[in-house]
Amino acid sequence: MTPIKFIFQYLKQIKLYTIATFGLFGLSRVFIYLDNYYIASLFGYIVENPTQIITSTSLTYIVIYAALHFGSNICDGLRTIFEFRMDIFLKRNIYKDAFKHTHKHSSAYFTEEMSGKVSNKVILLVLLTISLCWSFKGVLEAVIIPYLVALPILFSIDKGLATSIIFFCIITSFFNYCHCKNLKPISKENAQLESEAAGIIVDSIANARLVKNCGAVLHEKAYLGKALKKVVKSYLKKGQETGISNSFNILSLMVLRVISLLILVYFWHAKNLNISQVLIALTYIHLLLSPIERIGDFIIRYQQNLGALEDAINVIYKPIEVNDAPNAKQLKINTPNISIKNMSFAYENKPSLFKDFNLEIKENEKVGIVGLSGSGKSTLINLILRAYDVKDGEIKISGQNIAEVTQSSLHRQIALIPQEPTLFNRSIINNIRFSNPRASDEEVYKAAQMAQIHDTILKMPKGYQSVVGERGVKVSGGERQRIAIASAILKDAPILILDEATSALDSESETAIQQALQNIMKNKTVIAIAHRLSTLRNMDKIIVLNNGKIAESGTPKELLENKNSKFYYLFNLQSDGFIQS
């Protein structure tokens, strides 16, 4: 999507306010620029009739002049009302759409892009769009309206005079534009480098505890310094090009002023123009020349903002990696079984991880997945959650291909308890209720009790209203995990995925959690990735993955009885209940 198309699609959404704002602004400028005609006519009349200063003609010029100013003030007053609303709704719509579109991206997008960079681009989308809209208002005031008013008046005085002036104005504007357009790629590069630096700052501040604990402040400072060095270099290049462009514009304008004055003097004598015509022509020639100076500045700022806006659009509005099918339906769970048939998948520019992979998970079956690092455990979970699309084959839940249902309905039917839960910088009750916003306080308390976190919360200074801090830094790792488990319990989805759900718990907490997990796993289809055997002990089936293939499957007891099994090998690598990976 081009920046211009991006801007106009939002202006169309509020076309009433847009038309009223620019229409009233244009009308007010027409009134202002027309008053020059009557001022010049007044002084021309006085020069030609020095003994008849106060006459009906001179008074008419004065009255019209006053009326034009009064009309301009009325238009500006009304414009302010519409402009204020246009500004508010434009910002609101862009923020909403950019936020919504950003959340449509897959996990792969957020793996590649820093959150600070993405946030910065969302804000820039709004600021730059507003800036370019008001730049158009400047063009309307400085270029479009002056030409609409001045040209008919100059043509009425003398066609040759008007044609000569407009010819040199167009030539000068064209050369100014050609010289200034080089700023767009420089501004785009500058915006990219600045966003990368902003991303580093946000990323480093978000991990401030880790930076301090590792004594890495100097390292982070040097890392940011390298990025800022590139930004400064880009700014210097941009400043140099801007200075050259400004100098070129000023020089070309000076030459144009001299040429215009010579043209006026020539036609004054050649066509025997009267003093009123000369004053009017001089006034409107000056009005035509002023835009040349301002349009040069506009082109420079326009190219700068356009480059930055294009970069922001390219980041936020990248093609969505995983899209809903055109006629995607809601996923409806009758029997929460999972069927994977002939599935193949490979990450971009990497060899295939899964090839003709098959797996059947029955209704309410509890399946544990183990394997060394890189065997495909997390990828398998991500494919079931449709963070990525499979290359071949299909994944079905309750007989429905997940590629043919909406992603939102798929995710509503699956509760995920990750290894490293992410919490919002909000109250504990809001974090638990996030999975089910309509849940009552009593339901939240019950879920917290099942997750063995209720009593701990009550001991906090503000209880359930305690704010956990950014990414949950104000609570311990075990508490974060149990808050996440409580949220999953509250969601009450028919399919439950445990991704190292007890890894952050101490032994005492784990004992309590294991009972809670057993309670919530009842009547649910469960997939559990775990290195702790205590999590897998009560699974109906264990699947051992090796390089994207099922090396073994069976009950925990069956696999441990076979001393040649990979599961038995992993079991012997364990320490304190962990399978080392």
Side-chain angles (χ1 to χ4, degrees):
M1 183 186 300
T2 64
I4 300 301
K5 185 177 180 181
F6 177 83
I7 293 171
F8 274 96
Q9 78 171 8
Y10 284 101
L11 292 178
K12 282 173 63 178
Q13 293 176 10
I14 49 172
K15 57 186 176 183
L16 172 63
Y17 298 117
T18 301
I19 293 171
T21 296
F22 289 110
L24 287 167
F25 179 77
L27 188 59
S28 74
R29 297 304 97 183
V30 168
F31 290 156
I32 289 295
Y33 295 146
L34 279 176
D35 73 4
N36 293 324
Y37 178 86
Y38 292 97
I39 288 294
S41 298
L42 175 63
F43 281 98
Y45 175 79
I46 291 172
V47 170
E48 293 174 351
N49 303 277
T51 59
Q52 300 179 22
I53 297 176
I54 306 299
T55 65
S56 60
T57 301
S58 61
L59 289 175
T60 299
Y61 289 147
I62 293 171
V63 169
I64 293 174
Y65 172 82
L68 288 171
H69 271 269
F70 180 76
S72 176
N73 290 333
I74 293 296
C75 289
D76 275 333
L78 292 172
R79 171 189 58 80
T80 302
I81 297 172
F82 288 103
E83 185 178 302
F84 181 76
R85 284 161 175 75
M86 173 185 164
D87 187 64
I88 290 174
F89 292 127
L90 194 61
K91 289 178 180 177
R92 181 199 65 181
N93 292 349
I94 296 175
Y95 271 128
K96 283 175 64 178
D97 287 354
F99 181 82
K100 182 180 178 181
H101 191 87
T102 301
H103 277 289
K104 285 183 178 180
H105 284 293
S106 69
S107 301
Y109 172 85
F110 294 102
T111 301
E112 294 174 4
E113 302 287 355
M114 288 184 180
S115 58
K117 179 181 177 181
V118 175
S119 302
N120 178 256
K121 293 302 182 186
V122 171
I123 295 170
L124 280 177
L125 279 176
V126 175
L127 296 179
L128 292 170
T129 300
I130 296 295
S131 178
L132 284 166
C133 283
W134 298 153
S135 293
F136 177 70
K137 189 173 76 170
V139 173
L140 193 66
E141 177 182 27
V143 182
I144 297 174
I145 301 301
Y147 275 73
L148 287 176
V149 173
L151 287 179
I153 292 174
L154 287 175
F155 271 103
S156 69
I157 294 172
D158 188 274
K159 293 180 181 179
L161 171 66
T163 303
S164 301
I165 295 295
I166 192 62
F167 173 76
F168 283 103
C169 285
I170 291 173
I171 292 296
T172 305
S173 299
F174 175 75
F175 280 112
N176 283 346
Y177 172 77
C178 290
H179 197 270
C180 292
K181 70 178 183 179
N182 295 330
L183 279 167
K184 181 180 176 181
I186 296 174
S187 298
K188 186 175 180 180
E189 178 192 35
N190 181 248
Q192 290 172 339
L193 293 173
E194 197 169 7
S195 292
E196 288 173 9
I200 291 171
I201 292 171
V202 173
D203 190 44
S204 187
I205 292 174
N207 293 284
R209 293 176 67 186
L210 177 61
V211 173
K212 286 183 179 295
N213 292 340
C214 293
V217 175
L218 293 178
H219 171 271
E220 287 296 287
K221 184 179 178 182
Y223 186 58
L224 175 62
K226 289 180 181 178
L228 290 177
K229 187 176 181 180
K230 293 179 182 179
V231 173
V232 170
K233 186 177 180 181
S234 176
Y235 264 120
L236 291 175
K237 184 179 178 182
K238 178 179 173 181
Q240 177 181 320
E241 190 64 35
T242 301
I244 293 171
S245 296
N246 276 328
S247 299
F248 183 84
N249 292 339
I250 292 170
L251 180 62
S252 63
L253 181 64
M254 183 186 71
V255 173
L256 181 60
R257 287 186 184 279
V258 173
I259 291 173
S260 299
L261 186 59
L262 292 173
I263 291 172
L264 178 59
V265 170
Y266 169 78
F267 277 94
W268 184 4
H269 288 280
K271 297 299 180 73
N272 196 28
L273 302 178
N274 61 43
I275 191 64
S276 293
Q277 289 175 314
V278 171
L279 289 174
I280 292 171
L282 184 63
T283 299
Y284 283 99
I285 287 173
H286 177 72
L287 188 62
L288 286 179
L289 297 186
S290 294
I292 306 299
E293 181 178 14
R294 297 183 66 178
I295 199 172
D297 180 58
F298 164 76
I299 290 171
I300 291 171
R301 286 186 288 107
Y302 172 77
Q303 293 291 350
Q304 291 173 345
N305 289 340
L306 203 65
L309 180 59
E310 185 175 0
D311 179 61
I313 291 171
N314 289 341
V315 172
I316 300 299
Y317 290 90
K318 277 184 177 179
I320 302 297
E321 303 81 4
V322 179
N323 284 294
D324 285 344
N327 298 313
K329 299 178 180 179
Q330 298 290 310
L331 175 62
K332 296 181 180 179
I333 300 290
N334 296 318
T335 54
N337 62 308
I338 301 172
S339 175
I340 303 175
K341 293 184 178 179
N342 303 319
M343 181 186 74
S344 296
F345 174 78
Y347 288 106
E348 189 174 357
N349 300 323
K350 290 186 178 182
S352 294
L353 178 58
F354 292 104
K355 191 172 183 180
D356 295 326
F357 183 86
N358 292 276
L359 176 63
E360 295 289 337
I361 300 176
K362 300 176 183 177
E363 177 185 0
N364 298 335
E365 188 175 26
K366 281 66 177 169
V367 177
I369 300 176
V370 299
L372 296 174
S373 181
S375 60
K377 304 185 300 295
S378 295
T379 301
L380 179 61
I381 296 302
N382 284 329
L383 290 172
I384 292 173
L385 289 166
R386 208 181 165 214
Y388 306 92
D389 274 330
V390 299
K391 306 302 180 186
D392 294 301
E394 60 184 13
I395 300 174
K396 289 185 175 182
I397 294 179
S398 192
Q400 300 156 79
N401 190 331
I402 63 170
E404 297 174 358
V405 300
T406 63
Q407 294 176 67
S408 58
S409 66
L410 169 67
H411 297 148
R412 283 196 297 269
Q413 302 295 345
I414 301 174
L416 172 67
I417 304 177
Q419 181 178 3
E420 297 179 1
T422 301
L423 301 182
F424 290 95
N425 187 16
R426 303 170 189 174
S427 66
I428 291 175
I429 195 168
N430 282 336
N431 272 286
I432 295 176
R433 190 182 271 140
F434 187 78
S435 63
N436 186 1
R438 295 182 179 180
S440 65
D441 289 353
E442 288 70 23
E443 289 172 321
V444 172
Y445 302 152
K446 184 178 180 181
Q449 288 169 348
M450 292 181 67
Q452 303 296 311
I453 189 67
H454 177 73
D455 293 339
T456 303
I457 295 171
L458 293 180
K459 292 177 183 177
M460 295 181 182
K462 294 184 179 180
Y464 277 87
Q465 298 304 321
S466 300
V467 176
V468 300
E470 188 173 8
R471 299 185 181 182
V473 295
K474 292 185 179 181
V475 294
S476 69
E479 289 167 347
R480 270 199 306 274
Q481 194 78 343
R482 282 179 282 170
I483 290 171
I485 291 172
S487 183
I489 292 170
L490 195 65
K491 187 174 184 179
D492 194 27
I495 297 173
L496 177 66
I497 295 178
L498 309 175
D499 187 1
E500 293 291 354
T502 61
S503 63
L505 302 175
D506 53 53
S507 297
E508 183 179 356
S509 298
E510 188 203 357
T511 301
I513 285 295
Q514 286 300 332
Q515 182 57 49
L517 289 177
Q518 291 303 315
N519 290 335
I520 65 170
M521 285 193 293
K522 290 178 180 178
N523 301 318
K524 295 186 188 299
T525 302
V526 179
I527 301 174
I529 296 176
H531 290 146
R532 270 186 173 175
L533 290 180
S534 54
T535 306
L536 302 175
R537 189 180 298 118
N538 297 313
M539 295 290 111
D540 298 322
K541 181 168 65 176
I542 300 292
I543 292 172
V544 181
L545 287 182
N546 184 34
N547 295 325
K549 296 180 180 179
I550 298 177
E552 297 168 350
S553 67
T555 66
K557 182 179 179 181
E558 290 171 347
L559 294 177
L560 287 175
E561 286 177 351
N562 181 2
K563 295 184 179 181
N564 294 320
S565 70
K566 288 186 176 293
F567 185 73
Y568 185 81
Y569 168 74
L570 293 172
F571 174 78
N572 284 331
L573 291 178
Q574 69 178 305
S575 173
D576 296 328
F578 285 93
I579 297 175
Q580 303 300 318
S581 62

